[in-house]
Amino acid sequence: ARIRLHAQGGQDLLSSLPRPYPREGTPLARHAQPDKVTSWWRGVSLRAKITGVTVALLVIGLVSAGVGTMLFVRNALISNLDASLEQLATSDLVAPFFDVEVTDAGAEFALKGSAPATEYRVAVYSPLGDFITSAGGSGGNAPEFPAKITLDQTASRGLTPFEIPASEGGQVYHASVAIFEGPGAQLHTQLVALPLAPVDRTVATFFGVFAVLGLIVIVAGARASRLLVTQAFRQVGQVV
């Protein structure tokens, strides 16, 4: 009888202790159940997990390298364009486009019939800074030239390129200004502008080529990783 009572007392003591896991059907038990993502991840094979992680790291590396390279290439192309602008701004760009005649009202600029088609565009400003005329370009939207650029502004700005928008659309131009001596020893301002569209087209072409090559590398990397993991597991199985 004493042994039976002692056993019953032990069972009562065990039943009174806290359970390590919640009972089924309780809210805590439902909360402890893994979510769908965890259940799915646990159901994925180890080979697929290793292959997926390897491909994810490869994608992150390629995207980071591609973005960094595109930014570097674009900045380098813009630097070359700005250097070309500074050289053009110090050249005589009025003579190839205009016939200049001095009148009592000042210098008059008439566009030549044989004016060349160029990638850059030129604008001429009077000694007082008023816009006179423009020429050049080989199609597309013309830049929206500033209405007024005084000689003091030109001298203070120097040859440093700056952005001006196109008259229509979202195209952007880089421009540079310089002072030139016109007829009658009058000082004028000439502005030369180059579009950034060729730079954007080059970057877009680079992005397309890099995307295709990156896709090929990702597919090849996924296949190679899966093959290597499969062979490694086979070797482990043979050893075991």
Side-chain angles (χ1 to χ4, degrees):
R2 291 179 178 178
I3 296 175
R4 187 178 300 172
L5 291 174
H6 181 71
Q8 290 179 356
Q11 292 178 357
D12 294 339
L13 180 61
L14 291 175
S15 62
S16 64
L17 293 175
R19 295 176 179 268
Y21 299 100
R23 296 179 179 179
E24 296 182 357
T26 61
L28 184 58
R30 291 193 297 269
H31 180 72
Q33 294 179 356
D35 54 8
K36 294 181 179 180
V37 177
T38 304
S39 301
W40 169 81
W41 180 252
R42 290 177 179 176
V44 177
S45 64
L46 182 58
R47 180 177 63 179
K49 289 179 180 178
I50 296 175
T51 304
V53 171
T54 304
V55 172
L57 293 176
L58 186 61
V59 170
I60 293 173
L62 287 174
V63 171
S64 302
V67 172
T69 304
M70 281 190 296
L71 292 176
F72 174 78
V73 170
R74 190 175 190 276
N75 291 335
L77 292 175
I78 291 178
S79 298
N80 291 336
L81 183 140
D82 291 343
S84 300
L85 269 178
E86 294 177 1
Q87 292 179 356
L88 287 171
T90 57
S91 305
D92 182 10
L93 301 179
V94 175
F97 293 98
F98 303 102
D99 290 323
V100 185
E101 182 180 357
V102 179
T103 62
D104 295 337
E108 294 184 356
F109 297 83
L111 183 63
K112 292 181 177 180
S114 59
T118 58
E119 187 178 4
Y120 60 86
R121 296 176 183 268
V122 181
V124 180
Y125 292 81
S126 69
L128 298 179
D130 298 322
F131 175 80
I132 299 176
T133 185
S134 64
S138 56
N141 296 327
E144 187 175 350
F145 294 109
K148 193 177 187 66
I149 300 179
T150 62
L151 295 175
D152 292 338
Q153 292 174 341
T154 302
S156 62
R157 186 186 295 273
L159 299 175
T160 304
F162 57 95
E163 288 188 1
I164 57 175
S167 57
E168 295 179 0
Q171 189 175 357
V172 178
Y173 282 79
H174 272 203
S176 180
V177 292
I179 297 175
F180 73 98
E181 185 177 346
Q186 290 184 338
L187 298 180
H188 293 70
T189 296
Q190 74 173 8
L191 181 149
V192 57
L194 278 170
L196 291 183
V199 174
D200 295 334
R201 286 195 296 267
T202 302
V203 173
T205 302
F206 171 82
F207 175 78
V209 173
F210 186 86
V212 173
L213 294 178
L215 183 60
I216 294 174
V217 171
I218 291 172
V219 173
R223 290 183 176 274
S225 176
R226 187 176 182 84
L227 179 61
L228 292 175
V229 171
T230 302
Q231 292 180 350
F233 283 169
R234 287 178 180 176
Q235 293 176 0
V236 171
Q238 291 175 1
V239 173
V240 176

